[in-house]
Amino acid sequence: MDLDPVGLKILQNQLVNICQEMAMAMMRTAYSPIFSESLDFCTILFDRQGEMIAMADMNPAMLGSAALSGRWIIEELGADSFEPGDVVVDNDPYRGMCHMPEHLLLAPFFYEGELAGFVGNVGHVGEIGGKAPGSFAADATEIYQEGLRLPPVKLMRGGDYVQDIWKIMLANHRTPDTTWGDFNAMVGSLTIGQRRLQELFADHGPQFMNEAVPALYDYAESWLRSEIQELPDGEWDASDVIEDDGVVDTAYTIKVRVVVDGDGAIIDFTGTDAQAKGPINAPYTVTFAAACNGFFQLFKEFPLNAGTYRPLKVIAPPGTVVNVTHPAPCVAGQTEIQPRIIDLVQGACLGQVIPDRVAAAGGGTCSNFLIGGTHPDTGRYYTHYHFDGMGWGGRYANDGNSACNAPHSNCPNTPIEVFETRFPFRHLQYRLRPDSGGAGRQRGGLGIVREFEVLADELSVSALYERMKEEPWGIVGGGPGARTELLIRQAGSSEFRPFGEVFDTTSPSKFTNVTIRRGDRVMIKTAGGGGYGPPQERLPEKLANDIEEGWVTPEGARQDYGIVQ
Amino acid sequence: MIVGIDTGGTFTDLVAFDEVSGERRIVKVSSTPGAPAAAVGAALDELGAAEQVSRLVVGTTIVINAVLQRKGADAVFLTTAGFEDVAHIQRINRPTLYDLQWNKGEPLAKRANTVGVVERIDARGQVVQPLETAELERVLDQVAKVVEGMSNPAIAVCLLFSFRNSAHEARLAEALEARFPTIPVSISSRICPVWREYERSSTTIADAYVRPIIADFVRDLQQVQARIHPDSPVSLMKSNGGQIPLRTATSHSAQLLLSGLAGGLLAGKYYADVLERPSLITLDMGGTSADVGVIRQKQISFRDSYDIEWAIPIVGSFVDMTTIGAGGSSIASFDRGGLLRVGPDSAGADPGPAAYGFGGTEATVTDANVVLGRLDPDYFLGGKMQLDATRSAEAVAVIAERLGNSLEEAALAIVRMANENMANAIRLVTVDRGLDYREFDLLAFGGAGSLHAADVAATLGMRRVVVPLHPGLASAFGLIAATPRVDRSRTCSFDSETGLGGELSAEFVRLVHEVERDLAEDGYDDEVEILRSVNMRYLGQNYEQEIAVPDGPIDDSTIPELVIRFHSSHQSTYGYSMPDNPCELAQLNVVALGSGQRPSLPALPASDRAHGPRAERPVFFEGHDWLDSEIYLRQDLAPGSELRGPAVIAELDSTTLVHPNQTLSIDEHGLLHLEVVGVTRQQPAETT
């Protein structure tokens, strides 16, 4: 094949194709619903230095791992320490990863006896021990409380299980059967990647591959540069807060300056608050992924490899909530700081200059709700990482979407009928939340309301939410979206009250291991998106449709739009 | 005479097969999108002798088009109170990762036309909140208000956990039918008794939504039926490759969504049977897209869901097709990073490729083939349409200039890119099922399939290409090769450790009874073959593998046997198994197959067909440049003969390309067999 616009494009497609095959194998064989239903993973090919050649992009949150982690692990271990059949695992945020539930598996690929690259995948493992079932300890103060930390170590050696590592893992995770199944699925997916790379190298020859891969990086880089070139040059500042950290009732400000200069951009977080005591901290990988994602949201389609990131420079001072230093906890950076940064970059900064290409703030939290207990029917211990959709911000041309993942995530929900078949709960409602969308010429999307009753004697829940104090903001004159609410009606009581009040937690949105009992009812109301443009400019027929469909109540129409029905 | 008619967006194709003489006839007429049955009548008129038609099978894309164009009923949706928004919430994910401007799709039933019903069945099928009579009356009154003023109402009912206990849905259905006798009612526990409330709701709503479309089409076809023999059955193709008689079609609307796509795979299965080629990949390349399907051990693959759009998933039994945007009208352009891409943008039929002369100026795959001399401008659609080679050259020249290549090299690049896209689709389709594509033969059809097949096969290391009779009408041919088929699935929950053979047996007896009843309702009274299978997974996994149930009665030894089969299937598909882990039987499937009369492929007499090449013309091949190539008409090729490339085989509806050094053999039935080994790809050694 030739190094021309034809041969390179064919190779580009073939490489992504391999990642997709790896992803499919993983989805179909994994145990956790978080893999198989929610697709919280990605699959990646790396070159010999650990630069990303291609990825199957299932979940954008893992971009950071893909872009940086492979490189750092290979640097730490040395490329010559890999033998055929080896698989290295790493979940350490202080060694390249994003937060501990996400594990990177990395295996070398040899062609004709020479190290020719690596295949990898990143998966969110549902339970990894630590102080809270589901491993989202919202009140952790050190990383040691967040679960079992694995620095880059060999999980497989020469094709054999490294039994010592597996034994440690299985002994420290609360649901070892699931761990066993998920890790086998991940290892299986690597094997498929190696097999296909073998064919690809045989087809094209190693020399072509060595020359073509850097050319593909250049290709992605020039694509991104041409997009950035079309943006107006300038500097824009914005800031937003993380409400509290689960340990101390204090807010943390994230400051960002976006600089677009020609065909490159800088995203600078200088001035951001010092890192939190609680887990609401992001390692650099997370901040990097989120900052890039804020730009990517404008571009829709582009090739994804090491070259994609070259035009973007991300500055995040160490010791802040956007570049945490050891041994602070950091499980929530990936879920809560990511969406905040994306909206800061695209909506708050770039929205100042290209308001027609951005969105108002979305609900801005992954709505993490963790459940652990013994199932009364089976006697088995189970954990479940539950999350919900929320409203997206309004856009220049359209209302915000209702009930969607935060933009850095793309995980399908767990259906009611799957949820209740697996876990001891019964839902009373699961619906869109009227009036939760920020008012505007284009309304913000709606959050959801989920209410369920506990059918087991007792179980333990943990929560990690945001936007319970601060509303998701509107832009161009749009109103804010509704705040998150997390309520409980205890058995025997007749009213719903905030969790934080009932259980006297430090934070209303972040707590760990609260015991709830049979007959208790939980109600989760997720945040709505901010509105776009002044509410009084909303077309009367759009508002009439909102009222007819029930997305805006007559009362809401009166309050938010000044309309009397 | 058995007749299959495929009503597509542009053309309506007819293939007729005379059971007595073995004669086959084909007709191609323009489609009539406003009244699709009119084209069916027109095709029969052109065939003549309509009274000799003994059986007519119609495949159609009108159902899916009605959904895509939002031209269905005013759907009213009834669901468990508290869950009215499930179709709007969907699964909270999206198809594009980096696009905050993306818009979530709207369901086919408005929220304002949704009625919550106070009732509740739990995960085990037990009634937690009974459906009280007073509530039933309230619901009926509310439905009456909602349908008031609707011109075309249809009701869909989907209650939580109705796949476990259908009593509430049945009660609602009965009351609705009594109160609103003229309004059709679709019930989820009848249409798709499987778990996941959003997908089941979406399917039930879609069923209600398309009913009037199907009812109109059926009524029009009944007019057509009056013109053929009154005893001759007329049926519609279902998404699962089975057929359903006209009179019951309307009540199985959701099963007709992919009616127009099943034909190609059925043709594939037919050829797998008659050629004794158990493993085939079908490549149906047309104007705007290419469909890829897999035939494994002579069987079609099926899937249990299909997304009409992102927001409209349909659960049911579908022939497993993967469609990609690679067709004759796919446009070549440069992406933002400066690399060449072909598709998914398409010039469609209008303006179509530049060569059509309808105003298209962008280079398409068809234009590239014209530039390379592979398509004869004077013999497109058998000469019915004149192509303009100059316009093709002008369009491709734009690409050539940017590539810094010659016109021919640019055209070759476009063709190659389209081929790679198809090869990637084949890779994904097979790997998803743990199959090795190199062990398959490629059955190429559609207007453009046989023109590209040798290259696609060579790219993948597949050794043989088969080009069937009338490749451009293979879908219509597939319709007459189909046999009656009913699928039924039910979500269940058996554990490998505690599951009882007796209970499993009882569940299967019930399902078998249902499929036999359905087949009988379809008017089928002959021998029925029953296939039973179980979807199994390790306890904790969420995706299953389909495992065949051993023949004979089901007893306590059945589940252990299924477990052994599952471990081994998991091992061979994904490269590992976990024999110590418990498994779960998550879904039971039963298929009833009727034996229908299928067309035979008569041997052709050799004598009256032999004819040499009609002409010689230069054709451009990679690594060879222009080569004088022999041009044959397909009807001239003698059974049992062979020819060597470079050559082009032209026929009314398609063109087959034979590369240099490649051998094409014509079998006794007139099918073309290409040996692919060692062709088409320029080897690196030759370039240095």
Side-chain angles (χ1 to χ4, degrees), chain A residues 9 31 37 219 395 416 422, chain B residues 100 103 196 335 540 542:
Chain A
K9 182 63 168 222
Y31 266 51
E37 290 281 330
Y219 158 65
R395 289 83 46 91
I416 303 282
R422 291 231 190 282
Chain B
L100 281 175
N103 291 316
R196 294 192 175 103
D335 67 27
N542 262 27

Side-chain angles (χ1 to χ4, degrees), chain A residues 415-423 425-427 455, chain B residues 79-80 83 119-128 158-169 188-189 192-197 200-201 490-491:
Chain A
I416 303 282
E417 289 174 348
V418 173
F419 197 98
E420 293 189 3
T421 300
R422 291 231 190 282
F423 309 120
F425 296 96
R426 182 177 313 125
H427 282 76
L455 302 181
Chain B
T79 188
T80 306
F83 303 87
E119 64 81 41
R120 186 67 146 90
I121 286 162
D122 74 8
R124 290 184 222 164
Q126 286 163 358
V127 176
V128 181
C158 180
L159 305 178
L160 282 182
F161 291 106
S162 63
F163 61 93
R164 287 256 183 260
N165 178 348
S166 60
H168 288 178
E169 283 193 353
S188 86
S189 51
C192 55
V194 295
W195 74 347
R196 294 192 175 103
E197 65 278 0
R200 195 171 70 254
S201 297
R490 182 178 297 280
T491 293

Side-chain angles (χ1 to χ4, degrees), chain A residues 9 29 31 37 57 219 226 300-301 395 401-403 407 409-410 413 416-417 420 422 430 432 549, chain B residues 82 85 91 94 97-98 100 102-104 112 120 161 196-197 200 335-336 341 538 540-542:
Chain A
K9 182 63 168 222
T29 59
Y31 266 51
E37 290 281 330
D57 209 352
Y219 158 65
S226 115
K300 298 179 190 182
E301 185 213 349
R395 289 83 46 91
N401 292 311
S402 298
S409 164
N410 195 30
N413 63 1
I416 303 282
E417 289 174 348
E420 293 189 3
R422 291 231 190 282
Y430 180 41
L432 293 175
E549 292 283 86
Chain B
D85 296 339
R91 296 294 300 274
R94 60 192 187 277
L97 295 184
Y98 304 102
L100 281 175
W102 169 74
N103 291 316
K104 196 169 182 172
R120 186 67 146 90
F161 291 106
R196 294 192 175 103
E197 65 278 0
R200 195 171 70 254
D335 67 27
R336 195 177 265 275
R341 82 162 130 207
Y538 288 117
Q541 283 182 330
N542 262 27

Side-chain angles (χ1 to χ4, degrees), chain A residues 1 4-6 8-10 13-14 17 20-21 24-25 27-33 36-37 57-60 63 177 180-181 184-185 188 192 196 199 203-204 216 219 222-223 226-227 230 293 296-297 299-302 304 343 346 356-359 377 380 387-389 392 395 398-399 401-418 420-422 426-432 448 545 548-549 551, chain B residues 81-86 88-106 109-113 120-124 128 158-164 194-200 310 334-341 402-403 405 413-414 416-417 420-421 423-425 427-428 431-432 437-438 459 493 495 497 537-544 570 573-576 578 581-582 584 681-682 684 687:
Chain A
M1 221 155 52
D4 62 13
V6 182
L8 283 176
K9 182 63 168 222
I10 289 172
N13 291 347
Q14 288 171 335
N17 197 252
Q20 286 168 339
E21 289 179 22
M24 241 176 250
M27 175 184 87
R28 296 204 160 264
T29 59
Y31 266 51
S32 312
S36 53
E37 290 281 330
D57 209 352
M58 313 302 284
N59 189 343
L63 272 174
D177 289 353
W180 173 248
N184 272 294
I192 292 203
R196 287 278 288 111
E199 291 169 15
D203 273 0
H204 301 319
L216 285 178
Y219 158 65
S222 71
W223 183 306
S226 115
E227 285 277 12
E230 283 177 17
N293 193 333
F296 292 169
Q297 293 294 341
F299 305 152
K300 298 179 190 182
E301 185 213 349
F302 48 88
L304 206 48
D343 281 345
Q346 64 86 24
D356 55 329
R357 292 181 66 184
V358 304
D377 294 349
R380 280 172 195 266
F387 50 84
D388 276 304
W392 277 15
R395 289 83 46 91
N398 292 99
D399 289 343
N401 292 311
S402 298
C404 278
N405 280 131
H408 71 291
S409 164
N410 195 30
C411 301
N413 63 1
T414 303
I416 303 282
E417 289 174 348
V418 173
E420 293 189 3
T421 300
R422 291 231 190 282
R426 182 177 313 125
H427 282 76
L428 291 110
Q429 56 171 324
Y430 180 41
R431 61 171 94 200
L432 293 175
I448 60 105
N545 184 64
E548 190 194 349
E549 292 283 86
W551 312 141
Chain B
F83 303 87
E84 293 90 340
D85 296 339
V86 157
H88 288 86
I89 294 172
Q90 301 167 12
R91 296 294 300 274
I92 77 173
N93 57 340
R94 60 192 187 277
T96 49
L97 295 184
Y98 304 102
D99 184 10
L100 281 175
Q101 307 303 318
W102 169 74
N103 291 316
K104 196 169 182 172
E106 290 284 328
K110 279 178 71 93
R111 175 63 179 83
N113 297 337
R120 186 67 146 90
I121 286 162
D122 74 8
R124 290 184 222 164
V128 181
C158 180
L159 305 178
L160 282 182
F161 291 106
S162 63
F163 61 93
R164 287 256 183 260
V194 295
W195 74 347
R196 294 192 175 103
E197 65 278 0
Y198 162 55
E199 287 79 358
R200 195 171 70 254
W310 179 254
F334 288 90
D335 67 27
R336 195 177 265 275
L339 299 192
L340 182 68
R341 82 162 130 207
R402 174 106 182 241
L403 284 174
N405 275 351
I414 293 169
R416 195 162 149 209
M417 196 68 74
E420 282 291 334
N421 292 343
N424 277 337
R427 284 194 191 99
L428 276 187
V431 171
D432 190 20
Y437 40 81
R438 291 166 302 189
T459 301
S493 173
D495 187 310
E497 288 166 352
R537 61 192 175 205
Y538 288 117
L539 194 63
Q541 283 182 330
N542 262 27
Y543 282 88
E544 301 97 34
H570 201 279
T573 308
Y574 299 114
Y576 73 97
M578 295 184 282
N581 286 28
E584 201 175 4
R681 289 286 288 279
Q682 196 172 346
T687 59

Side-chain angles (χ1 to χ4, degrees), chain A residues 104-127:
Chain A
L104 172 71
L105 263 58
L106 190 69
F109 163 69
F110 288 87
Y111 187 72
E112 290 175 344
E114 296 278 325
L115 180 68
F118 293 86
V119 294
N121 48 40
V122 182
H124 183 125
V125 178
E127 214 313 308

